[in-house]
Amino acid sequence: APAGFEAMLDEYGATVHVRSADLGGGGSKKQRRVGGGGILTGKELKWVSAQVGGVDLSVAARAVCYNMEQDSDRMAMNFLSGCDKKVLTSDGVNNGKMLVIVVELSSGKKIVGTTTVGWSGSKAGGRRDIYASLYEVTSHRRFPVNDTEHGTHVLNGPLSFYAASFGRGGRDFRLDSDLKSGSCIMGTSFGSPEFLIPHNHKHDGASRVAKAMDVCGDGETPESGSSWHPVRFEAWVVKNPDVDVLRPVEKEWLAEAMGGADLENPHLCFDSKLDHDPAKRLENFRKYCDPLVKHNFVLMTITRLANGLKMVGVTPGSTLAGKNLAEHANQFPSDFFKRPVDIMSEHVGRLNMFYEVSGRRVYPTKANGAVAYCANKFGITYGYPAGYMCTHNYPVDSYADFTIGATFETVKCKTMGQTWSMGNHEGPHYLGNYQQKQTAVCGGAEVGVEHVQAWIVNAPRRAVLKDLSEESEWLGRVLGGVDLTAHGPKRTCYTPKWPRDYAATTISNTFHKGCASMADTEMMVIVMRFATGRTLAFKTFIDGKLNNNQADAAATFYDVTNRKVYKKWRKNEWAHYCSATEYHLQNIGTFTNGAHGDDMLAINPMVDVHTEWVEQSQYGERIKQFTDGAGYRAANPQRGYNSDANRTRGAIEKFGGADLYGSLIGLSNFEAWYVPRPKGDLPSEPQLEWLGQQLGVADLSGRHKMCYDSNVRSMGSPTDVVTNYHKACDGQMQDDEMMVHIYVLESGKTLVGKTHQAPERVGANIVDRNLQFFELSGRLTFDPANGVSYTYFLADTLGWGVSQNTLQVKQRILESTWCDFSAQFVNISLGDTKTAAYASREAACGHPLPEGLSIMRMAAWRVKKPVTSTVDLLTPREKQFLSQRNNGAELCCPHVCYRKTINELKHLQVKDYHDQCTGSLKGVADQSRMLLTIAVLANGKKMVHRSSGEATPNWMNSIEMDRFAEMYEVTTNTTITLDKEQQYAYIYHENLIKIGFRGWGTEDFSFHFDATSGPYMECMMQSEIFGYNDYRGNNTKKQRVCGTEDNPKWNGIGITHFEAWLVPKAVGPSIMTEAERAWLGGKLNGANLTDPVVCYDKAKDPWDDRRAQHFHKSCGGKLKKGEMLVTVAWLSTGRKVVGKTTTGFTPDRANTASR
């Protein structure tokens, strides 16, 4: 019996003792134990046991009444003799036993059948058995009885018998009289409704064979479904798990649903099967159950219906009016029918609950002012509308959700769903009419009763989270690795005493007092368990001071029961709020003011919980709401994230009832803790390795100097991060260093920002051409988009991007307010549409909207800038490509005429570059060398400009023609050719070089030497002098020349290294190869080109201003009859163009006559 129960019994006299002894307390005698065979494996036995409600199928617990291997005759009659119904009953009453039939088929399938009725009697036909079931063990399939009037089937001779016959006519499963064949047509009387064979197909051979093939066949040959034979066959007698009205597994589930109730040793105060006079049952129930229910105890009625459903009503001993059932009983000591019990539930009581155990359904009260429990001469009622009186002569059963009739033979579900919530029913039931709800819950408006028991148990006292439980471990893990065990570092700041301290007036008066002193290294965690069995938790970085409604971007909502994490959709809103009368969780619910004197805390859940709190994995669905009109519920209630179906499912998952929005739900537990806030881990070794590759630093873990860390208390309070950063880092960064900022976000993301600007350079919108961002958990790079990139470092704010529109870091980093990587810093691999803006923010910041950011930790490192040597400037692959594009030019040992490393870029000058690399090429030497100008960009691209290097002495603003010019991007082996002959090639200006120049603002490429914010390159390709043939009008393709796949762009790209090489031009010994000569000879009708007469060779003509005259003089007028003149032009593009003429040219180029 429950602890402390004996003393209470003494108070109410010896009659209760006698009654309890007569009913036996739910116990049973031990069964005979005989060994059995081994048809089922250990795992199969375990599965069957679980399916049959936890029945004990061990060898010691089962008695074998038939074994086919020991039956030499192999006759069904022998089975019936050994397992006759008499083994299951004594004096016509089931003695708590069950038959288990185990058959192994030749197809390899294993069929198990259970019955508490068996097969006996001379009358053929069906036997009613509401607990009969069939199972196919190898595929883990269950077929419950659907036609309860034909649970088993009897056919007793004289010449034929059936063995183990289930279903109408034994069709679902049976063995014939010789035990060599049988029937297996599941779906006749057994199976879930969707599996049943339609009535008009019950004798359809094709349908029957298909069902048999599916269940009993071998899965390969159709005939195996009907041609099988039994290989092994046994029958066991075991203890019926239904003998105690609740199966062991049902007890386990119900105990958990009730909040940890102890149901192993209940006090049995009523049992309908032991009260044989129906007229006395209600009187005995009232006499022996009502007086025992005091504040610390709970009354439970377990009703097993004729259709197999098991309904449980739970009533706590405490009441709203301050009286309990025992005190009501004292007012009417003898006249039980005149003793009304009216437990009003203005706020939903902590344990005023209703359950359907077999289907694992939970039905909490939902209607304000409803009666949770009423007993009078018409029966026992659960769920009674407000305004109706529970008196001894009022027929409440016609207006109640659920009523057990006075004789305990029927129940009524007349207005189911009126007072009780439809709970965890999913589908149309919760919105349907009463007929639909009656069917969904009870199976009909009025249903017969098989068995009723009433128990008295201790009121549950389980902690809101069991220590070392899976729930506790999961919550600790998602909170950032917090130890939530009893010996962990958590501090309880509020826990109400049961029951009176659960009043909402108490929480509003005491919560803000106990939870107003949170340390700056802690966070608050609120855990609540609803009467529906759901457990929710809430995390906030804002303490519980009175009227403290600060915004909290880190606020998180946890569905502990279903292991789901929800984040606020709009992070710039307040998280929780405690006023003088109420306590609120933002868009989750309000704990009401307790004006009706309820004995516990209740929450009024808000419908906004579905729209404002989003499961992290469903952000994609929510994004559609902003980009697809159909995503709005107002546009179409059946589509989108906010559809009726999604809202219903969300209410069931979070609160335990589809129709509980706006209703009051009782809380069985509520606690608030202070726990250590996660410190935020700095990058791991693999992350550092990847980051080092992006920064060009080989060993980042050993090549950085910690400048600031918000977790180091000696560097100041984490509430003044920006001030402390400036104190620690101003004046520390050297010219050869860059600053790397690390931001560990509460969302789980880690952002890294790189800048070449010193921290003491405070100001708004300071240009920095080398800004880059990285997100380490997803290995993502975010480069500045088209335009200028800025820092916005002030004394009290660290901002990135124009007007801090990319990232904003405040003094109290937990309250930083902006994170948007969809515009100024981008990664195009995440998409380039409006939807991608949400996806980009989610990838970088962990949230699709920009407002609201919570940073757990900030660190700043000084890192040496990577200096590139000439030897390592180009990789072997890049050199090979460049050499091939230049006729095999040798690039191993170039003459470096100009070079500025990353630490020297502020000294980059156009005049110095011109004087050292172009002015020295005038004259004959020009023809033997070419100039390669190389710019390494901040995004890793390497742009190379090839030119002849010829420039006029008056270089400033002079326009230079250069047919030899070409552009390359060597990391992708890309060539941008000079395609427009009539245009100018390049122009020098004081601080820039324009390539493909056609007028100011219409160049293709340009180098800008900005000493203040750093040099940069633009790749607009506007004039299309370069790349006209391959890139004409294709801006997307143009952007990928200097930009990356993740960030295609064409302007403002910082230069991290600038170098120019003078390289010898590669000129081969012959203008054409042997293969080219052979091919050309064929085109010229077999002409022999092995040893032609060369009349002119440009390579041997040093006079660049007289070459055309020399050509005419040497080749003009020299053709003889039968000869032809062939000109071969080897172009800078690598092409070789051949012209043929049989008339030739005149010696005098002044003669312009056509030939």
Side-chain angles (χ1 to χ4, degrees), residues 255-285:
E256 179 67 20
M258 290 175 60
D262 182 5
L263 303 184
E264 290 303 314
N265 297 292
H267 171 74
L268 181 65
C269 63
F270 177 79
D271 191 326
S272 63
K273 289 195 174 182
L274 298 180
D275 264 316
H276 300 303
D277 184 358
K280 288 286 187 179
R281 286 174 179 167
L282 181 58
E283 178 180 346
N284 287 332
F285 176 89

Side-chain angles (χ1 to χ4, degrees), residues 429-484:
H429 307 303
Y430 78 100
L431 289 176
N433 55 34
Y434 288 136
Q435 287 74 24
Q436 288 179 297
K437 295 177 181 180
Q438 292 163 2
T439 303
V441 179
C442 302
E446 187 168 1
V447 184
V449 170
E450 284 282 331
H451 193 186
V452 179
Q453 283 188 353
W455 297 353
I456 307 294
V457 299
N458 281 320
R461 293 287 191 276
R462 197 182 75 182
V464 67
L465 284 181
K466 289 190 293 187
D467 199 29
L468 300 177
S469 65
E470 290 185 9
E471 288 183 338
S472 178
E473 292 178 0
W474 177 83
L475 183 58
R477 184 170 63 255
V478 296
L479 285 171
V482 177
D483 180 4
L484 297 181

Side-chain angles (χ1 to χ4, degrees), residues 797-816:
T797 307
L798 299 179
W800 302 78
V802 177
S803 300
Q804 311 179 75
N805 280 339
T806 297
L807 182 67
Q808 185 187 70
V809 183
K810 287 189 170 183
Q811 289 279 31
R812 190 174 187 270
I813 55 176
L814 295 175
E815 299 173 9
S816 297

Side-chain angles (χ1 to χ4, degrees), residues 838-884:
Y838 300 102
S840 297
R841 298 186 196 112
E842 185 180 347
C845 313
H847 191 261
L849 295 183
E851 304 92 348
L853 173 69
S854 192
I855 302 174
M856 306 296 295
R857 183 177 188 178
M858 172 190 164
W861 295 349
R862 291 159 43 206
V863 179
K864 291 288 186 182
K865 297 175 184 176
V867 177
T868 304
S869 65
T870 298
V871 174
D872 298 325
L873 182 57
L874 301 182
T875 67
R877 175 178 172 274
E878 293 165 352
K879 284 184 177 180
Q880 181 182 14
F881 160 75
L882 200 56
S883 174
Q884 290 173 349

Side-chain angles (χ1 to χ4, degrees), residues 44-108:
E44 291 170 343
L45 280 170
K46 186 176 181 181
W47 180 81
V48 173
S49 173
Q51 296 300 307
V52 191
V55 61
D56 187 354
L57 298 178
S58 64
V59 174
R62 65 191 189 225
V64 180
C65 62
Y66 181 78
N67 186 340
M68 191 175 72
E69 292 182 343
Q70 299 174 4
D71 181 7
S72 58
D73 297 328
R74 295 188 61 147
M75 297 176 62
M77 183 173 58
N78 293 339
F79 159 75
L80 294 173
S81 298
C83 302
D84 191 76
K85 182 181 178 184
K86 63 187 178 185
V87 304
L88 303 180
T89 61
S90 292
D91 298 326
V93 178
N94 186 283
N95 57 13
K97 295 180 180 179
M98 172 186 284
L99 263 177
V100 179
I101 306 302
V102 187
V103 185
E104 182 179 3
L105 307 183
S106 58
S107 63

Side-chain angles (χ1 to χ4, degrees), residues 973-989:
N973 289 359
T974 300
T975 300
I976 307 96
T977 57
L978 179 66
D979 293 334
K980 293 184 178 180
E981 63 173 285
Q982 78 275 17
Q983 303 295 345
Y984 298 114
Y986 57 90
I987 183 172
Y988 292 109
H989 191 56

